Amino acid sequence: MILSVWSLFIGVLDITPLALLGGDLETLELFLISRLPRLLAILCTGVGMSVAGLIMQQLCMNKFVSPTTGATISSAQFGILLALLFWPGSTLWGRALFAFVFAIAGTWIFVWFIQRIQFKDAVMVPLVGIMFGNVITGITNYFAYKYEMSQTLSTWLVGHFSMVLRGRYELVYLVVPLVILAFVFANYFNIVGMGKDFSKNLGVHYNFVLFMGLSIAAMITASVVVVVGSISYIGLIVPNLVAMFKGDKIRGTLVDTALFGSIFVLGCDMIARVVIAPYELPIELIIGIVGSIVFIAMLLYRLNHGRKAVRLGLSGRGGCTDAASAALKGEDT
């Protein structure tokens, strides 16, 4: 709440609480058209991308899978390009439809790959996703150069909130019902994350839950990409950091992941606005720098400590994985 209120008064034009309370129409108009929509878009982006990453990591049983490393963002960008090519007069919702379809398709192709290839190292899974995403990005760039759409497409290649205005961002509100739906089916995602045989033994339809969960993650990602652009690392590092302290049970960490994700994106956006004021850096740049450092630190931690949790206090819980899940996976709690 403190960061949210603070961010409302950061920008090129000075807005003060006294001016708002005093009834200054110009200040009030700027507040309602730009500052408030920007804050809501930031919060929805942080919550949505974090939850999407958490769902993908749980369903793919790999802590390094996310919308970035699972080709979801690249597929959504490809869908937006096709919408611009074949439906030039499309609205934001029309582009979102293309982004939804291709994000779901790209995510499912990635999952199809990793289900049919036996990996000895968990790090190989996101590497395959990164390579697959680069292939899609290469195809996207080819068509963009061929049809002179590179400059138009650049809006969705780098994430930023500077263009978020009233009437142009409401699509991101789709994140809210999708996150609620993810919370409702959180226990099913937990069961599917334990494997196909385990799911069948408990009477859970493995393929249906897997399709639904990945579709929710893909639609969240696509709605954010259409409005804000590509923002990496959020769905990768936020769920991992929360799991290090709170465990792997998705229902128990979903709220914490959403909260920390919104704080992380909001903090990075505030840094982007003030570091070279009155100019503004793309938030993708700030998150990319911070995220890459944190990602390397997490890799080193996983290599040295495995999935051992970070213990806080003397409660003895340790915030590690759920005991049943850990027992099934042969891990220490």
Side-chain angles (χ1 to χ4, degrees):
M1 291 298 296
I2 294 173
L3 286 177
S4 297
V5 174
W6 189 6
S7 69
L8 292 172
F9 301 99
I10 295 178
V12 177
L13 299 178
D14 292 330
I15 294 180
T16 62
L18 292 177
L20 289 176
L21 297 176
D24 187 342
L25 295 181
E26 184 177 351
T27 302
L28 183 62
E29 184 179 15
L30 176 63
F31 181 83
L32 295 177
I33 292 178
S34 177
R35 297 289 173 85
L36 186 59
R38 179 175 184 140
L39 174 62
L40 296 176
I42 290 170
L43 296 178
C44 288
T45 299
V47 171
M49 294 299 290
S50 302
V51 172
L54 178 63
I55 294 172
M56 293 184 68
Q57 290 172 14
Q58 188 71 26
L59 294 178
C60 296
M61 295 176 285
N62 190 292
K63 283 297 182 181
F64 298 119
V65 175
S66 70
T68 307
T69 58
T72 308
I73 291 179
S74 302
S75 302
Q77 292 171 346
F78 184 54
I80 293 173
L81 175 65
L82 293 181
L84 295 174
L85 289 176
F86 296 105
W87 193 4
S90 61
T91 62
L92 193 65
W93 289 92
R95 297 166 193 166
L97 179 62
F98 276 76
F100 289 156
V101 173
F102 280 87
I104 294 173
T107 305
W108 258 100
I109 293 174
F110 164 71
V111 174
W112 182 83
F113 274 133
I114 65 175
Q115 284 183 339
R116 282 157 177 78
I117 302 177
Q118 296 297 325
F119 299 98
K120 296 181 180 180
D121 194 344
V123 179
M124 289 298 297
V125 174
L127 287 179
V128 171
I130 291 172
M131 289 187 289
F132 179 51
N134 286 335
V135 171
I136 297 176
T137 301
I139 297 173
T140 303
N141 290 331
Y142 168 77
F143 283 108
Y145 279 115
K146 183 176 181 179
Y147 294 101
E148 299 181 353
M149 299 290 292
S150 299
Q151 188 172 0
T152 304
L153 186 64
S154 63
T155 305
W156 290 277
L157 295 179
V158 179
H160 58 87
F161 292 99
S162 58
M163 298 300 293
V164 173
L165 298 172
R166 187 176 63 189
R168 298 180 57 182
Y169 80 103
E170 285 76 10
L171 177 66
V172 81
Y173 285 158
L174 282 176
V175 167
V176 177
L178 291 172
V179 169
I180 294 174
L181 191 62
F183 185 80
V184 172
F185 291 96
N187 288 332
Y188 292 96
F189 297 155
N190 262 332
I191 295 172
V192 168
M194 294 180 185
K196 189 171 185 179
D197 294 335
F198 190 90
S199 302
K200 288 184 176 180
N201 290 336
L202 293 181
V204 175
H205 198 295
Y206 178 83
N207 290 327
F208 174 75
V209 175
L210 184 65
F211 175 79
M212 182 179 62
L214 293 176
S215 298
I216 290 174
M219 290 182 67
I220 290 175
T221 304
S223 63
V224 171
V225 171
V226 170
V227 175
V228 180
S230 174
I231 301 182
S232 57
Y233 285 111
I234 303 174
L236 178 63
I237 64 175
V238 172
N240 275 282
L241 289 175
V242 174
M244 289 170 65
F245 295 92
K246 299 287 290 187
D248 289 339
K249 189 175 180 180
I250 189 170
R251 181 178 285 274
T253 60
L254 189 63
V255 175
D256 298 285
T257 301
L259 178 61
F260 183 64
S262 61
I263 293 174
F264 178 71
V265 177
L266 185 57
C268 290
D269 179 72
M270 293 170 67
I271 294 173
R273 278 187 271 178
V274 301
V275 68
I276 57 169
Y279 302 101
E280 179 179 335
L281 290 173
I283 190 173
E284 168 70 6
L285 177 62
I286 304 298
I287 291 182
I289 294 172
V290 177
S292 59
I293 296 173
V294 176
F295 181 57
I296 293 173
M298 286 194 307
L299 280 176
L300 296 176
Y301 180 86
R302 293 290 185 186
L303 290 174
N304 294 329
H305 303 282
R307 298 185 63 171
K308 184 178 180 181
V310 177
R311 295 182 180 273
L312 293 176
L314 300 175
S315 62
R317 295 177 61 185
C320 194
T321 56
D322 179 72
S325 175
L328 289 167
K329 298 177 183 177
E331 298 165 351
D332 294 330
T333 58

